Amino acid sequence: DAGITQSPRHKVTETGTPVTLRCHQTENHRYMYWYRQDPGHGLRLIHYSYGVKDTDKGEVSDGYSVSRSKTEDFLLTLESATSSQTSVYFCAISASTGGYTFGSGTRLTVV
Amino acid sequence: QQQVKQSPQSLIVQKGGISIINCAYENTAFDYFPWYQQFPGKGPALLIAIRPDVSEKKEGRFTISFNKSAKQFSLHIMDSQPGDSATYFCAANQGGSEKLVFGKGTKLTVNP
């Protein structure tokens, strides 16, 4: 998607290992979000950021941490991956007008 | 707690038919109501959005109907096509800078 990229696109990791997902934007938007998508649950907010070094928790933040040291990068870290964190992770960005632009997602499998 | 309830979970429509997806919200302070379309393997993409100062917004074959008193809004897809087969999410938020609350999604299948 234009202006927002997620990496990696796919990852398989072992239980107990740390994992970091990256979201990079070129739109200079203030707001960035991490969601996970699971069947039957839709999109659930993990963490979000409203500026450099300003982050807050979403509804499913346990087991996740984030960092935003630059406007363009928002990192999501799974401190010790568990099988319940197998999911598709989406990053989104927004300016102040409400509409989100989503990345293409990262499919994470924890074995 | 789920602040936006979306129905149905899945919908099968014949080509040329009308697809209707409904959403209900609880927070009367919500003032922005977008719909997102998601194809398999892709991220959701903004399809159409409405603010509560109008009761209907149309863009091509896609129409949002908004009922403020009932706290409901719906997406109508006219002349549905197989290429419309996707998952649709409704959402809502308060103010331009607040995080969106999403419905759980509707998987639409349009049969040829």
Side-chain angles (χ1 to χ4, degrees):
Chain A
D1 291 272
I4 178 172
T5 54
Q6 291 184 234
S7 59
R9 290 297 313 275
H10 302 272
K11 186 170 182 65
V12 179
T13 191
E14 293 186 350
T15 299
T17 60
V19 177
T20 295
L21 309 183
R22 181 180 184 238
C23 178
H24 178 78
Q25 62 148 328
T26 58
E27 303 297 321
N28 200 36
H29 284 343
R30 177 181 176 187
Y31 301 95
M32 299 186 76
Y33 311 83
W34 276 108
Y35 284 86
R36 60 178 290 174
Q37 185 174 27
D38 305 286
H41 292 277
L43 293 158
R44 293 184 291 175
L45 182 64
I46 305 172
H47 281 279
Y48 62 105
S49 170
Y50 35 94
V52 173
K53 292 185 170 35
D54 283 329
T55 65
D56 207 347
K57 296 179 180 180
E59 61 181 299
V60 290
S61 60
D62 287 349
Y64 302 94
S65 62
V66 290
S67 65
R68 191 170 179 198
S69 58
K70 298 184 292 185
T71 298
E72 57 266 35
D73 289 325
F74 192 32
L75 304 180
L76 176 71
T77 297
L78 288 67
E79 302 291 346
S80 177
T82 67
S83 59
S84 65
Q85 294 176 311
T86 291
S87 185
V88 180
Y89 292 85
F90 287 101
C91 176
I93 61 175
S94 71
S96 60
T97 54
Y100 286 12
T101 299
F102 283 86
S104 297
T106 294
R107 182 173 295 276
L108 176 68
T109 303
V110 183
V111 298
Chain B
Q1 71 280 14
Q2 185 184 359
Q3 298 185 55
V4 178
K5 293 185 178 180
Q6 183 172 347
S7 62
Q9 258 189 313
S10 62
L11 179 63
I12 299 174
V13 175
Q14 292 299 118
K15 178 182 176 181
I18 302 173
S19 303
I20 302 174
I21 304 170
N22 300 299
C23 283
Y25 63 97
E26 299 165 2
N27 188 343
T28 55
F30 285 156
D31 61 0
Y32 176 70
F33 303 90
W35 284 90
Y36 286 80
Q37 178 188 55
Q38 183 182 29
F39 294 107
K42 303 291 186 182
L46 180 63
L47 182 64
I48 187 173
I50 197 169
R51 296 194 182 272
D53 52 341
V54 296
S55 60
E56 185 175 282
K57 183 173 181 179
K58 185 176 181 180
E59 290 185 1
R61 296 183 294 106
F62 300 90
T63 300
I64 299 179
S65 296
F66 184 78
N67 186 329
K68 189 174 182 179
S69 61
K71 294 187 287 186
Q72 295 176 346
F73 58 110
S74 59
L75 176 69
H76 295 239
I77 306 174
M78 310 301 288
D79 187 26
S80 298
Q81 299 296 312
D84 297 331
S85 296
T87 298
Y88 292 82
F89 293 94
C90 62
N93 74 351
Q94 173 189 351
S97 60
E98 289 292 326
K99 50 191 182 295
L100 282 170
V101 177
F102 286 89
K104 293 192 174 184
T106 297
K107 184 176 181 181
L108 172 65
T109 302
V110 181
N111 289 327

